[in-house]
Amino acid sequence: MSELAFIDWLRARTPAAASVLLGPGDDAAIVAPTGGPLVVTTDMLLEGSCFVLAEAGAAAVGRKAMNVNLSDCAAMAARPLYALVAVGLPRSADRRLAEGLFAGLQAAAHAEGCAIIGGDTNTWAGPLTIAVTLIGQATGRGPVRRSGAQVGDHLLVTGPVGGSIQGHHLTFTPRVQVALALHAQADLHALIDISDGLAADVWHLCTESGVGAELVAERIPLTPAALASTDGRSPLEHGLRDGEDFELILAVSPTDAERLVRTQPLAGLTLTDIGTIVPTGLWLLTTAGRQPLAPHGYEHRFGTDSQRGAG
Ligand SMILES: [Mg+2]
């Protein structure tokens, strides 16, 4: 799809949003948001590393590219407003690929009330690349960072983890509405979305907060995909390491944790208390006692698997 065709296509599908004064088509978009601070994030997907185009299909790849950014916006408890999309199309790509891709991007953005206000497409000799930049806005309670967890806090997770490579990494719902609802109902001390894996992302939160965490093995909710694993790694290993679950991990006071778990305020989702914040270290409590938990995820390289350190 040529640059101009893309802009026309996008223009025809960009709904009017009150704070978007000028959408795609000029040298830059013009926005005039009112209200609180903006959060800005970007995430890039590379064919072969983050997805296999032939298996996933263009629309699913577009949805994932938007949803991983929406998930980061959710992880700040912010409302998504605008997205910008930069795409490198393989020279061999036909119009159907570009249209499928943008249909997926658009559907995911619309689902969360986010407007695609601009972008750029280029063709090149390499594989498909998509970078989305997302701009969101904090609510009146402000954005929630990774850095506010306190010793004694409880860690809650918004859904089961593990085995996302079986399909969830393409079809997940970013927890935008969930984050906003939780932020309105509880004092969220710290928040992060699970992209690198439960153990790795709990550790990211701990590192930013200057604390440690103790997870209780038997409480960690596992997906059917993790429970059905037949690759020699235990379901728990899948849950702790796999990544791309895109559930949220929140640190809240013991009182808020007890109330949230008891009242279960999220329709269709179960909040689970998986552990506590401790002064230092990352630990796993099992029936055999407390043991150190390595803070790394498990990296799928679509063919060759390898482990990676927490970054
Ligand atoms: Mg994140």
Side-chain angles (χ1 to χ4, degrees):
M1 191 188 288
S2 74
E3 172 82 0
L4 276 176
F6 160 56
I7 289 168
D8 286 345
W9 192 96
L10 195 55
R11 255 180 162 167
R13 287 162 181 80
T14 301
S19 69
V20 180
L21 305 186
L22 187 62
D26 210 306
D27 296 296
I30 307 175
V31 295
T34 54
L38 301 179
V39 302
V40 184
T41 184
T42 191
D43 209 64
M44 179 166 61
L45 296 192
L46 305 173
E47 182 180 357
S49 169
C50 307
F51 60 89
V52 177
L53 180 60
E55 287 172 15
V61 170
R63 272 198 305 276
K64 178 174 183 179
M66 185 60 65
N67 280 337
V68 295
N69 283 276
L70 288 164
S71 183
D72 276 329
C73 186
M76 305 300 289
R79 231 175 236 118
L81 294 180
Y82 318 120
L84 295 139
V85 178
V87 177
L89 289 169
R91 210 156 270 152
S92 60
D94 58 15
R95 192 184 170 95
R96 274 207 323 262
L97 170 65
E99 287 192 358
L101 197 61
F102 285 105
L105 285 158
Q106 200 84 356
H110 283 191
E112 298 301 341
C114 180
I116 298 177
I117 58 169
D120 191 22
T121 50
N122 260 309
T123 49
W124 72 318
L128 177 62
T129 70
I130 316 164
V132 174
T133 299
L134 196 124
I135 301 168
Q137 188 162 48
T139 69
R141 301 194 73 166
V144 181
R145 299 169 58 171
R146 297 178 177 182
S147 58
Q150 298 163 24
V151 173
D153 280 355
H154 285 228
L155 290 170
L156 270 52
V157 67
T158 56
V161 291
S164 81
I165 195 73
Q166 303 298 330
H168 180 77
H169 74 111
L170 290 168
T171 59
F172 70 94
T173 302
R175 299 303 187 198
V176 174
Q177 302 310 320
V178 163
L180 293 172
L182 288 170
H183 197 26
Q185 293 176 37
D187 181 9
L188 305 180
H189 293 173
L191 191 59
I192 191 170
D193 64 322
I194 306 177
S195 51
D196 295 343
L198 180 65
D201 287 312
V202 164
W203 187 241
H204 294 327
L205 185 149
C206 287
T207 305
E208 288 302 312
S209 295
V211 296
E214 184 178 273
L215 302 180
V216 183
E218 65 183 11
R219 291 202 207 142
I220 294 169
L222 301 170
T223 62
L227 291 166
S229 82
T230 54
D231 63 357
R233 296 166 59 221
S234 71
L236 180 63
E237 268 298 297
H238 279 279
L240 289 167
R241 309 278 179 212
D242 281 356
E244 300 215 327
D245 302 296
F246 298 108
E247 295 295 346
L248 299 173
I249 304 164
L250 41 146
V252 292
S253 72
T255 314
D256 273 349
E258 186 279 323
R259 178 174 54 84
L260 290 170
V261 169
R262 177 168 43 80
T263 59
Q264 291 296 340
L266 306 173
L269 287 180
T270 303
L271 281 167
T272 308
D273 185 335
I274 57 167
T276 51
I277 295 292
V278 297
T280 55
L282 185 63
W283 308 91
L284 186 67
L285 250 179
T286 68
T287 47
R290 177 170 127 146
Q291 59 201 72
L293 178 62
H296 60 70
Y298 187 85
E299 192 167 15
H300 290 275
R301 286 208 170 275
F302 293 98
T304 54
D305 289 324
S306 64
Q307 291 194 325
R308 65 187 170 192

